[in-house]
């Protein structure tokens, strides 16, 4: 009994210390969000998608109404046609607690911290030691994925990316759980995360995140209980977000029948793979996760570890989406829902980078085990 208490105490101390370190590092690396009291001119996505929409939403709620139509954009459009954090997402409360400029910046910082915590939990669940788990978390939240999305002010994209690791973590907990009550709690939480992804941001971007999560589950669907859990997560997640999932399904269905034409200026080319090693200042090249994590991840790709097959599937499909302009991929792409809609790097690189970071943790675990055996 005392041994279990000591272990629990050590875990609490470890996670508390790591979260404090994460907060300090995030405050320093994302100092534009930490210390800024206004929205900068570089926040293109913030000005384009968020600020006007949020201002209209907050003003309407404070006047006792609820916005369904936005008369200030174009000649009038449905309120939810523009990416927007809310109104059914819990963090929308930030808009009413702080001035809009501060609320935006706090939204970025909170979700980057959440992303680090989710990656830490996922790494520990995969059997990585404490140092390896911290390494994976830092590689994730300080990758150019978060740095560059934060730089242009696209808050909904940060939110969607945050819950990718949370969904994968909860699915792995479900596959290992032997108690029905715990399994149900994990599935309920995952359904909530599923709904959070849908109710924030651009439909196609969120579709790719959820598509990748469901891809991850495929190799593990060997038991009826796991299949039912995934169906529950998907079905209940859609039900929870029913007020906003219409545009998502419309986008997915229309993309199946009418693939978007490929913009030559927005296509990921083979030569751009070098930017995974040497990051570019261009926004569309955002796959840099650190050279150490990258090379360890490439080596770890071939390891036989639990859930390695799942990650290989996600990474290969992500690479397929990134290189969608090349034959024969360009011939296959129009047949696959979502893949034919979002083939450019700014979306599909996220899942590949995520997989490589987990593979790097697997490789570090193997190296650590080998060193331990020698001793």
């Amino acid at each position: 009994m005392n041994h279990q208490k000591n272990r629990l105490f050590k875990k609490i101390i470890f996670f508390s210390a790591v979260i404090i370190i994460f907060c300090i590092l995030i405050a320093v690396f994302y100092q534009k969000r930490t210390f800024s009291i206004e929205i900068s001119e570089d926040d293109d996505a913030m000005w384009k998608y968020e600020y006007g929409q949020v201002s209209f939403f907050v003003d309407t709620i404070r006047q006792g109404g609820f916005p369904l139509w936005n008369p200030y954009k174009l000649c009038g459009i449905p309120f939810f046609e523009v990416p927007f954090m809310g109104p059914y997402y819990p963090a929308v409360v930030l808009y009413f607690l702080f001035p809009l400029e501060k609320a935006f910046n706090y939204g970025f910082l909170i979700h980057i911290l959440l992303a680090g915590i989710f990656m830490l939990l996922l790494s520990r669940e995969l059997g990585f030691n404490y140092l390896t788990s911290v390494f994976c978390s830092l590689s994730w939240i300080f990758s150019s994925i978060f740095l560059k999305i934060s730089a242009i002010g696209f808050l909904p994209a940060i939110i969607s990316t945050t819950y990718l690791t949370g969904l994968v973590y909860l699915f792995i907990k479900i596959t290992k759980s032997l108690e029905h009550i715990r399994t149900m709690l994990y599935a309920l939480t995952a359904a909530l995360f599923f709904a959070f992804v849908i109710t924030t941001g651009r439909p196609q971007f969120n579709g790719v995140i959820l598509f990748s999560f469901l891809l991850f589950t495929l190799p593990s669907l060997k038991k009826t209980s796991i299949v039912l859990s995934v169906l529950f997560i998907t079905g209940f997640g859609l039900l929870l977000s029913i007020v906003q999932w219409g545009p998502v399904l419309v986008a997915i269905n229309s993309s199946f029948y009418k693939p978007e034409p490929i913009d030559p200026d927005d296509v990921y080319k083979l030569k751009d793979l070098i930017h995974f090693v040497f990051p570019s200042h261009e926004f569309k090249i955002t796959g840099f996760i650190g050279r150490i994590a990258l090379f360890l991840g490439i080596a770890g790709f071939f390891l036989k570890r639990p859930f390695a097959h799942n990650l290989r599937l996600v990474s290969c499909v992500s690479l397929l989406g990134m290189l969608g302009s090349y034959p024969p991929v360009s011939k296959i792409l129009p047949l696959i829902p979502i893949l034919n809609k979002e083939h450019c790097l700014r979306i599909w690189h996220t899942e590949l980078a995520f997989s490589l970071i987990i593979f790097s943790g697997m490789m570090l675990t193997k190296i650590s085990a080998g060193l331990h055996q020698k001793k």
Side-chain angles (χ1 to χ4, degrees):
M1 190 69 177
N2 289 332
H3 179 67
Q4 289 181 344
K5 286 184 177 180
N6 289 334
R7 287 186 62 185
L8 179 61
F9 180 73
K10 287 180 180 178
K11 284 183 179 181
I12 293 172
I13 293 296
F14 166 75
F15 279 102
S16 300
V18 169
I19 289 172
I20 292 171
I21 292 170
F22 281 2
C23 288
I24 295 171
L25 292 175
I26 288 170
V28 172
F29 277 85
Y30 293 93
Q31 55 184 291
K32 173 184 174 181
R33 302 294 170 196
T34 308
F35 304 109
S36 177
I37 58 174
E38 59 184 17
I39 302 174
S40 72
E41 295 180 357
D42 297 330
D43 291 329
D44 297 335
M46 193 80 76
W47 289 114
K48 184 177 180 181
Y49 298 116
E50 288 276 322
Y51 194 84
Q53 192 86 334
V54 173
S55 298
F56 176 63
F57 169 73
V58 172
D59 290 344
T60 305
I61 293 294
R62 283 177 174 165
Q63 292 169 11
F66 192 87
L68 298 175
W69 184 262
N70 186 353
Y72 300 109
K73 266 194 172 297
L74 301 176
C75 293
I77 60 172
F79 181 71
F80 299 113
E81 282 297 309
V82 179
F84 165 59
M85 187 187 76
Y88 307 109
Y89 183 66
V92 75
V93 71
L94 292 172
Y95 296 142
F96 297 93
L97 296 177
F98 305 99
L100 292 187
E101 292 79 3
K102 288 186 177 180
F104 285 132
N105 292 326
Y106 293 161
F108 277 102
L109 297 172
I110 289 170
H111 287 93
I112 292 168
L113 176 62
L114 271 178
I117 294 172
F118 287 149
M119 180 60 86
L120 187 70
L121 292 171
L122 172 60
S123 299
R124 290 294 296 152
E125 193 61 34
L126 289 170
F128 302 167
N129 61 33
Y130 289 126
L131 287 177
T132 300
S133 299
V134 171
F135 170 81
C136 291
S137 296
L138 293 177
S139 298
W140 181 235
I141 61 176
F142 297 120
S143 66
S144 58
I145 296 163
F146 287 92
L147 287 169
K148 294 199 174 184
I149 293 178
S150 173
I152 67 162
F154 200 1
L155 180 56
I158 288 283
I159 296 172
S160 298
T161 306
T162 294
Y163 287 107
L164 173 63
T165 44
L167 283 166
V168 172
Y169 164 71
L170 289 169
F171 174 73
I172 292 176
K173 294 290 288 186
I174 288 170
T175 62
K176 294 182 177 181
S177 177
L178 300 176
E179 299 178 18
H180 293 300
I181 295 177
R182 285 193 177 186
T183 302
M184 201 62 197
L185 287 174
Y186 295 143
L188 278 169
T189 308
L192 191 64
F193 287 2
F194 198 98
F196 286 166
V197 173
I198 292 176
T199 55
T200 58
R202 184 179 173 204
Q204 290 84 7
F205 189 98
N206 301 341
V208 168
I209 294 291
L210 297 178
F211 184 82
S212 300
F213 162 67
L214 293 174
L215 268 179
F216 180 89
T217 67
L218 287 180
S220 299
L221 299 180
K222 299 174 181 178
K223 295 182 180 179
T224 304
S225 59
I226 297 176
V227 174
L228 291 175
S229 295
V230 172
L231 289 175
F232 174 82
I233 292 168
T234 306
F236 195 54
L238 288 171
L239 184 63
L240 288 173
S241 56
I242 196 168
V243 292
Q244 205 165 336
W245 54 251
V248 176
L249 295 185
V250 169
I252 292 173
N253 290 333
S254 64
S255 72
F256 183 84
Y257 297 109
K258 298 177 182 178
E260 283 190 349
I262 295 175
D263 184 350
D265 296 327
D266 202 23
V267 166
Y268 192 74
K269 300 179 176 62
L270 284 172
K271 66 179 182 180
D272 290 328
L273 287 172
I274 193 64
H275 294 293
F276 273 79
V277 184
F278 303 102
S280 167
H281 293 295
E282 299 176 38
F283 170 63
K284 75 171 188 173
I285 309 300
T286 55
F288 185 69
I289 58 174
R291 296 181 185 89
I292 295 175
L294 174 65
F295 295 133
L296 285 171
I298 293 172
F301 181 88
F302 304 97
L303 292 178
K304 293 182 178 180
R305 294 275 302 183
F307 300 100
H309 290 312
N310 308 59
L311 288 166
R312 277 191 281 269
L313 177 61
V314 172
S315 56
C316 289
V317 173
S318 300
L319 190 60
L320 186 75
M322 289 164 55
L323 302 178
S325 63
Y326 288 92
V329 180
S330 59
K331 304 295 183 183
I332 302 172
L333 204 63
L335 304 176
I336 308 175
I338 301 181
L339 270 177
N340 58 7
K341 190 73 174 178
E342 295 295 345
H343 52 268
C344 54
L345 169 68
R346 68 171 176 267
I347 291 180
W348 284 107
H349 77 282
T350 304
E351 288 70 23
L352 180 59
F354 162 75
S355 301
L356 286 171
I357 288 172
I358 300 298
F359 282 132
S360 73
M362 291 179 176
M363 192 65 205
L364 281 174
T365 301
K366 183 176 178 61
I367 293 171
S368 176
L371 292 174
H372 184 72
Q373 285 180 354
K374 286 184 179 180
K375 290 182 180 180

